[in-house]
Amino acid sequence: MAGATLAEGLWTLLIILAVVLCMLLPIQALPSETPRDAAEGVARQDSAPGASTGNNRSKDQASNSQELSFVEDMIAGAFARVAAQCVMYPADALKTLAQVRGGSAVPLSITPALLIKGSITTSAMALPAGAIQFSVFPFMKRLCTSLLPPWFSITFIEMVSAGVASVLASVFQSPQELLKQRIQTGLYPSFASGLVTLTKEEGLAGWFTGFLPTLARNMPMVVIVFTSFARLKALYKTRTGREVSSGESMLLGALAGGVAVGLTQPIDVIKTRLMTQALSSQTPYTGPVDCMLRIAAEEGLHTFYAGLVPRLVYIAPFSAIQFAVNAKAKQLLLRRHSPRPLADHARRD
């Protein structure tokens, strides 16, 4: 039994690595620069004719004022994630219902009440996942940029940073996904009932049912979305000479999310099947690899893309909303950092 469990874990890790490696080429195709290039660019600007000590000080002051603290990144990320989760919850419910196993006792009629069932309580559980993803990503990016040799591209650094953020966030996201999908499919009548039933029948270990498939989906998903969004922002700034607005963040976020959906859909189907198989009267899957092989053999490869349209309708706007809300929240927080103009001090004096 232990050997089988170890084999399942190893196969899942191989799937994760394969998906992430498949993303290297398309993401590397986006514009990028090495940390040394960036440093040299700043140095050239500072050494340009006419640059003065006063200008350098103002640049340093402006740079410091444009950086949020780790806690502020957590606040902005948590708010962005919960907002996106609440707004797009009905589309997520449709996606889940489309992916459950044949013979499952899912509701025969889909009503508005069913589509928003558990939306507030389960969305609140997304707070820590959003806080971690949006704070660990920039933190790791700064850390890796300062520690790694200059020949590592910024794209590689962003992928590593997003991977670390996804692993940490999955610890909180896996229980949230489990409760959310079991409520959506009617296995639990309410959030409170789900908490009690899950803990009573499966113990604390039950909270992490489907953790490996969740991680296998989240890692490539977060790496693709966050890295693609960062590279698209860099491309936009290079072409226009300015930062993206909240509205433009929505468009770039939707594009990054749409790409990620198509590439991670099979893993999402496996995760949903494992988390909701208690609904089915058929022989249970023993793990993610068994689930993958039996879906392919019994239902065909096309089943791995069940619920693709509902998930695309869910994830693309979800990514758009979370990046737009995060950008707006960061703007509001940055206003607290902005130095008061000298003219204001003069007027007050």
Side-chain angles (χ1 to χ4, degrees):
M1 182 64 70
T5 303
L6 177 61
E8 292 282 352
L10 291 174
W11 272 108
T12 304
L13 289 176
L14 287 174
I15 293 172
I16 294 172
L17 291 174
V19 174
V20 172
L21 288 174
C22 286
M23 296 314 304
L24 280 170
L25 287 178
I27 293 178
Q28 287 282 11
L30 293 170
S32 147
E33 60 179 358
T34 65
R36 176 173 290 173
D37 292 334
E40 289 176 351
V42 173
R44 285 193 296 269
Q45 290 178 3
D46 290 344
S47 62
S52 64
T53 303
N55 288 338
N56 290 338
R57 287 176 181 171
S58 63
K59 287 178 183 177
D60 292 341
Q61 187 179 31
S63 177
N64 292 335
S65 68
Q66 291 175 2
E67 290 187 4
L68 294 179
S69 68
F70 187 84
V71 173
E72 288 171 327
D73 277 329
M74 290 185 71
I75 293 172
F79 184 70
R81 185 57 178 262
V82 171
Q85 189 90 59
C86 284
V87 173
M88 298 308 302
Y89 191 87
D92 183 44
L94 285 173
K95 181 269 299 182
T96 299
L97 292 171
Q99 290 180 345
V100 294
R101 196 176 184 184
S104 298
V106 297
L108 295 177
S109 60
I110 298 176
T111 63
L114 176 66
L115 295 181
I116 62 173
K117 185 180 178 183
S119 58
I120 302 299
T121 48
T122 58
S123 294
M125 291 184 68
L127 278 166
I132 290 172
Q133 284 182 356
F134 281 92
S135 59
V136 172
F137 176 73
F139 172 79
M140 288 298 301
K141 183 177 175 180
R142 290 191 295 267
L143 182 64
C144 291
T145 300
S146 63
L147 295 180
L148 291 178
W151 56 79
F152 284 97
S153 71
I154 192 64
T155 301
F156 174 80
I157 289 173
E158 286 168 348
M159 293 180 71
V160 171
S161 303
V164 173
S166 69
V167 171
L168 296 176
S170 292
V171 175
F172 297 92
Q173 194 170 357
S174 184
Q176 183 230 357
E177 283 282 306
L178 180 66
L179 281 167
K180 181 184 68 175
Q181 293 193 331
R182 289 186 176 183
I183 291 171
Q184 288 172 339
T185 53
L187 187 60
Y188 298 147
S190 67
F191 179 77
S193 173
L195 284 175
V196 174
T197 303
L198 178 62
T199 305
K200 182 179 179 180
E201 295 182 356
E202 302 180 45
L204 292 179
W207 284 69
F208 293 94
T209 299
F211 174 76
L212 284 178
T214 300
L215 179 60
R217 181 205 63 176
N218 283 0
M219 183 176 284
M221 186 79 185
V222 174
V223 167
I224 295 165
V225 171
F226 275 71
T227 307
S228 297
F229 181 76
R231 292 297 87 220
L232 288 169
K233 278 179 62 180
L235 175 62
Y236 183 90
K237 186 175 181 179
T238 300
R239 297 291 177 85
T240 64
R242 64 179 180 83
E243 299 288 348
V244 297
S245 65
S246 298
E248 291 160 344
S249 291
M250 290 189 72
L251 294 176
L252 298 183
L255 179 60
V259 172
V261 165
L263 293 167
T264 61
Q265 182 66 13
I267 304 175
D268 189 64
V269 170
I270 294 172
K271 175 194 70 70
T272 300
R273 289 292 184 90
L274 290 171
M275 286 185 167
T276 61
Q277 64 176 329
L279 290 165
S280 178
S281 58
Q282 299 184 37
T283 304
Y285 303 117
T286 60
V289 176
D290 178 58
C291 178
M292 177 181 66
L293 295 176
R294 287 174 61 184
I295 289 175
E298 298 170 6
E299 304 175 56
L301 296 178
H302 67 279
T303 307
F304 287 111
Y305 281 87
L308 175 62
V309 174
R311 185 167 180 246
L312 185 61
V313 171
Y314 166 60
I315 292 294
F318 180 94
S319 296
I321 293 169
Q322 77 167 354
F323 281 115
V325 173
N326 181 256
K328 191 64 178 178
K330 291 173 71 172
Q331 288 175 8
L332 295 174
L333 290 170
L334 281 171
R335 289 180 183 176
R336 300 170 59 239
H337 295 230
S338 300
R340 191 181 299 277
L342 294 177
D344 289 354
H345 288 291
R347 282 195 296 269
R348 293 184 65 181
D349 294 339

